[in-house]
Amino acid sequence: PQALLGEFAHAIAGDTRKTSGVSFDSLELMGEEQVQESVEVVRTQQAVAIAVEAELTELNALICAVQGLKTVQADRNPMRPEVYVRALRTVTQQSPVAPSVRRRWLLHLGEAMGPELARSYREMCAMLRAQGVNEAGFSVAASSQASAPPAAPAAAPAADAKTLLNVHE
């Protein structure tokens, strides 16, 4: 609980760091165990994000409304999945076990976390709606192509011909 409360505090303070700060440049500086653990954290993050995708959209809109925001800003939700995964990583790193065991824990606990977090998100949404909270809106960014005239139909076959790929044995 303390690790999760700490991560909530960071998130509320505006900390939008990613679960894993792994970049190609930093891989050179990491040991093999660190790289493997970072990969497992990213996998855990992806698995949890997929499991909560639908519920998270609604929760983000409600949380932003509670914060007085007119539009949804997902990074302002202190209960976003990466916050939970960071707390899980913190707890596993504090455990006096081999790195390979921590990676297995991340894998299995991440698989279990997704559905449970989705259930919690549904419950939070229901509670917020019962309190009269209405969702913040989603802002729509205009794309640069929206104002451009549509391409002429005659150009389409030429573009297709350039991208045609043939594979021969």
Side-chain angles (χ1 to χ4, degrees), residues 86-167:
R86 278 198 308 262
L88 178 61
R89 182 181 194 182
T90 298
V91 170
T92 59
Q93 285 178 328
Q94 293 171 351
S95 300
V97 297
S100 60
V101 173
R102 285 196 304 263
R103 286 192 309 272
R104 283 194 303 268
W105 284 354
L106 280 171
L107 170 70
H108 296 294
L109 291 172
E111 288 174 358
M113 182 186 287
E116 285 300 313
L117 197 52
R119 183 186 54 77
S120 293
Y121 285 177
R122 282 191 301 274
E123 290 173 2
M124 283 187 258
C125 289
M127 179 198 64
L128 290 169
R129 287 195 184 283
Q131 297 297 318
V133 176
N134 294 318
E135 295 178 357
F138 287 90
S139 63
V140 179
S143 73
S144 60
Q145 294 178 356
S147 60
D160 289 342
K162 289 180 185 176
T163 59
L164 185 60
L165 176 66
N166 290 318
V167 179

Side-chain angles (χ1 to χ4, degrees), residues 26-96:
S26 67
L27 288 177
E28 293 176 351
L29 305 174
M30 299 173 108
E32 184 177 338
E33 290 293 330
Q34 287 177 304
V35 171
Q36 289 178 354
E37 184 172 329
S38 294
V39 167
E40 199 55 54
V41 168
V42 170
R43 285 182 184 155
T44 301
Q45 172 61 41
Q46 290 172 343
V48 172
I50 289 168
V52 302
E53 187 174 0
E55 293 83 1
L56 182 60
T57 300
E58 180 181 7
L59 182 64
N60 283 339
L62 291 167
I63 292 291
C64 287
V66 167
Q67 293 173 337
L69 302 171
K70 301 283 186 226
T71 60
V72 174
Q73 298 174 30
D75 61 334
R76 297 282 303 268
N77 178 358
M79 293 177 279
R80 57 192 183 275
E82 58 265 22
V83 172
Y84 285 88
V85 173
R86 278 198 308 262
L88 178 61
R89 182 181 194 182
T90 298
V91 170
T92 59
Q93 285 178 328
Q94 293 171 351
S95 300

